Amino acid sequence: MALPVGPNTMAPRVWARDVLRDIGYRNTIAVPSRSKDVIVKFITKVVQSYQSCGFIICAIHCNNEFDCAKDEFTDIVFDIVAQNRHIPEVERSVQTMKEDSRLIVHG
């Protein structure tokens, strides 16, 4: 099962998103920074939450901001996309969240 993730900046926080490809589940977590420790904690939290539901995470598709954390997870393959490239599921999730927010605000 592959888990694409990617950060999206919204002032003043950093929002980290994950999308479970097989079932289309998406999750957004506010994280305080883009430091390695924070990224490792985010990935650990996400992986543990999916594992508690019976999913096995074997690959993570992410941008180069997550490259610093790949050595911490030896049992997960990290597919780092090239700079200025995007993970389609995450980009679609960002657009959906924006559309939903606009609908709520402008109703």
Side-chain angles (χ1 to χ4, degrees):
M1 184 159 312
L3 176 68
V5 294
N8 179 30
T9 305
M10 290 180 66
R13 292 187 171 160
V14 177
W15 299 91
R17 300 181 188 278
D18 62 271
V19 180
L20 194 57
R21 275 187 173 166
D22 293 349
I23 62 172
Y25 176 78
R26 69 176 185 237
N27 188 25
T28 303
I29 299 174
V31 293
S33 73
R34 290 182 160 126
S35 70
K36 178 181 177 178
D37 292 338
V38 171
I39 290 172
V40 169
K41 285 179 186 175
F42 164 72
I43 294 171
T44 302
K45 185 176 182 179
V46 168
V47 168
Q48 287 174 346
S49 70
Y50 287 127
Q51 287 175 340
S52 70
C53 295
F55 294 101
I56 298 170
I57 305 301
C58 60
I60 294 178
H61 304 279
C62 53
N63 63 16
N64 59 351
E65 289 187 63
F66 291 81
D67 192 37
C68 63
K70 70 180 179 183
D71 295 334
E72 303 289 328
F73 301 92
T74 57
D75 55 339
I76 298 174
V77 175
F78 277 69
D79 180 20
I80 310 291
V81 298
Q83 194 168 7
N84 297 325
R85 302 295 257 171
H86 303 284
I87 296 104
E89 293 86 355
V90 173
E91 291 304 311
R92 182 65 215 147
S93 176
V94 169
Q95 291 304 316
T96 301
M97 296 291 278
K98 286 180 180 180
E99 291 166 6
D100 291 350
S101 298
R102 288 183 189 119
L103 181 64
I104 291 169
V105 171
H106 302 291

